[in-house]
Amino acid sequence: MPLDGSPLVLYVPLHVDDGLAATNSSPLYQWFIRTLKRRLLIVDMGPCKKFLNLLLICDRANRRAWLSSHVYVVELLEEWNLTTCKTAVTPFPSKHLDLSPAPLNAIPDVSDIELIPKYQRLVGCLLYLAITTRPDISYYAMWLGQYNAKPNRSHFLLAKHVLHYLAGTKTLALSFGTPSDSLPSSLAGYIQNVGCSDADWASDSVDRKSISGYSFFFEGSLVSWSAVKQKSIALSSTEAEYYAMTHAFKEALWLRVFLSFMKFPVPRPFPILSDNQAACSLSNSISISARSKHIDIRHHFIRAHIHDGSFSTIWIPTTDMPADIFTKSLSSILFIRHRKVLGLSVPPFIA
């Protein structure tokens, strides 16, 4: 037992044959390693500095930590000969994308035969960054991924534009331990433990489907995020936001179970923020109206969790919604503002 009398704790996350260990007792860790070595070939790498191509940067004096992929980004830029490229402020060039077929000389180093496999490899790398340490490119990686089966050169140019953005922001890392100092007033009271849900209605000009996005914060730090296209076509912005809430609630339920298992405090009710007042009202109502009677019953399960006091839905202004960054291509000012709220910053050790 530690000197302060607290219980012994040892967490061991695993990925295939790589693992970490977090504990409050060095003797417990040594016992754990000795026990494993009796049956398995174990290589103890010592204090963690790198895991799955992610760098762990710690500032123990200030109780802060960062997850960084700057080495991986540098390798990616070298692979695509973009180490000295012109940088971009946002991942996509503008909100209105030009998807008309690009000429063959737009990407002269990629032949027609190489186009699909190279595009898929590049998008796969961007997706890995998006789900690990770079939530700021989640929407863009998702958007590019839907063309994996049959991309054209315009899609490839947009994917390379994301690399130009990463070239200018390669030192950004996901921070933990201290909430962002750029929080808007509407978030300040909730950011310790909160979920944010947002949607962009009928934004796909081809199939007219909407985009759902969410972000979850624990103790002021971003711990979960998502950007996905909705499977159903929403008939209104309220309906799209309601579908996005369903997407966020499913993640919130899992996070509550995980936090309880880890013996962490779970707020009750757990707040889910939305920038659509009608969707908040719909989630709190037990009645079926003429404008909502067509909504599938699977989306109404959130009402039961709200009425039993487990969750609450709260409205905040659209300009303060951090999950907005997961639903659409934003202007540079709004994009950078939301990026700061997500906790992306430059660690002092690699500045």
Side-chain angles (χ1 to χ4, degrees):
M1 183 171 290
L3 297 177
D4 60 1
S6 59
L8 293 174
V9 175
L10 176 63
Y11 298 121
V12 185
L14 295 172
H15 179 79
V16 191
D17 58 350
D18 293 312
L20 296 175
T23 182
N24 60 351
S25 171
S26 180
L28 175 61
Y29 171 75
Q30 297 300 330
W31 169 84
F32 175 71
I33 294 298
R34 288 196 305 270
T35 303
L36 285 182
K37 284 184 175 180
R38 294 172 186 167
R39 295 181 176 272
L40 301 172
L41 177 61
I42 299 294
V43 179
D44 185 0
M45 304 296 291
C48 179
K49 295 183 179 179
K50 186 177 182 180
F51 184 68
L52 303 178
N53 251 336
L54 311 178
L55 297 184
L56 178 60
I57 303 170
C58 294
D59 181 4
R60 297 187 181 276
N62 296 306
R63 300 180 65 84
R64 296 198 64 187
W66 291 263
L67 281 179
S68 173
S69 296
H70 74 275
V71 174
Y72 182 72
V73 171
V74 169
E75 293 173 352
L76 198 57
L77 294 173
E78 290 176 350
E79 178 182 346
W80 291 93
N81 298 317
L82 293 173
T83 53
T84 59
C85 69
K86 182 180 179 181
T87 60
V89 180
T90 57
F92 275 2
S94 67
K95 187 174 182 179
H96 303 288
L97 303 177
D98 181 13
L99 293 181
S100 57
L104 292 176
N105 60 1
I107 313 176
D109 56 334
V110 178
S111 66
D112 289 339
I113 297 177
E114 297 174 315
L115 181 64
I116 293 179
K118 284 198 171 185
Y119 179 86
Q120 291 174 343
R121 171 169 171 75
L122 176 53
V123 173
C125 294
L126 296 178
L127 283 169
Y128 179 71
L129 285 169
I131 64 175
T132 52
T133 65
R134 296 302 299 265
D136 52 329
I137 67 169
S138 292
Y139 166 76
Y140 307 93
M142 178 277 299
W143 191 94
L144 293 166
Q146 65 183 327
Y147 298 102
N148 260 351
K150 195 176 181 180
N152 60 37
R153 291 181 180 271
S154 294
H155 301 136
F156 212 131
L157 286 174
L158 287 171
K160 293 192 75 172
H161 193 279
V162 179
L163 288 180
H164 285 256
Y165 165 74
L166 291 173
T169 60
K170 56 179 174 287
T171 54
L172 283 180
L174 190 59
S175 63
F176 300 90
T178 302
S180 169
D181 56 5
S182 304
L183 293 179
S185 57
S186 60
L187 278 178
Y190 301 106
I191 203 67
Q192 284 297 317
N193 299 284
V194 71
C196 301
S197 169
D198 195 27
D200 190 32
W201 178 43
S203 56
D204 193 301
S205 59
V206 177
D207 59 18
R208 307 307 293 171
K209 290 183 178 179
S210 308
I211 305 297
S212 292
Y214 66 64
S215 56
F216 282 88
F217 298 84
F218 177 70
E219 296 298 325
S221 301
L222 183 68
V223 295
S224 180
W225 59 90
S226 173
V228 298
K229 182 181 284 191
Q230 295 180 0
K231 298 184 182 301
S232 304
I233 297 179
L235 302 181
S236 66
S237 59
T238 296
E239 193 173 328
E241 296 280 358
Y242 195 62
Y243 292 166
M245 277 188 181
T246 301
H247 180 51
F249 263 70
K250 290 188 289 185
E251 178 70 4
L253 288 168
W254 181 86
L255 286 174
R256 282 189 52 194
V257 172
F258 178 76
L259 292 174
S260 298
F261 177 76
M262 301 288 283
K263 307 301 182 183
F264 286 127
V266 181
R268 184 182 175 91
F270 192 97
I272 303 293
L273 309 184
S274 171
D275 62 0
N276 188 286
Q277 293 182 341
C280 290
S281 298
L282 184 60
S283 66
N284 282 277
S285 173
I286 60 174
S287 62
I288 302 296
S289 68
R291 290 191 295 179
S292 64
K293 63 183 181 181
H294 65 283
I295 296 178
D296 197 295
I297 191 172
R298 69 189 181 93
H299 297 289
H300 291 309
F301 88 101
I302 65 179
R303 294 177 171 180
H305 294 289
I306 291 175
H307 285 283
D308 70 9
S310 301
F311 293 91
S312 64
T313 52
I314 302 167
W315 176 84
I316 64 170
T318 299
T319 53
D320 294 347
M321 171 54 70
D324 200 29
I325 199 173
F326 301 115
T327 63
K328 61 178 73 72
S329 182
L330 301 173
S331 65
S332 58
I333 295 176
L334 197 55
F335 177 82
I336 293 172
R337 180 185 181 188
H338 290 325
R339 188 180 68 188
K340 289 180 180 178
V341 173
L342 295 181
L344 284 163
S345 61
V346 179
F349 307 103
I350 61 171

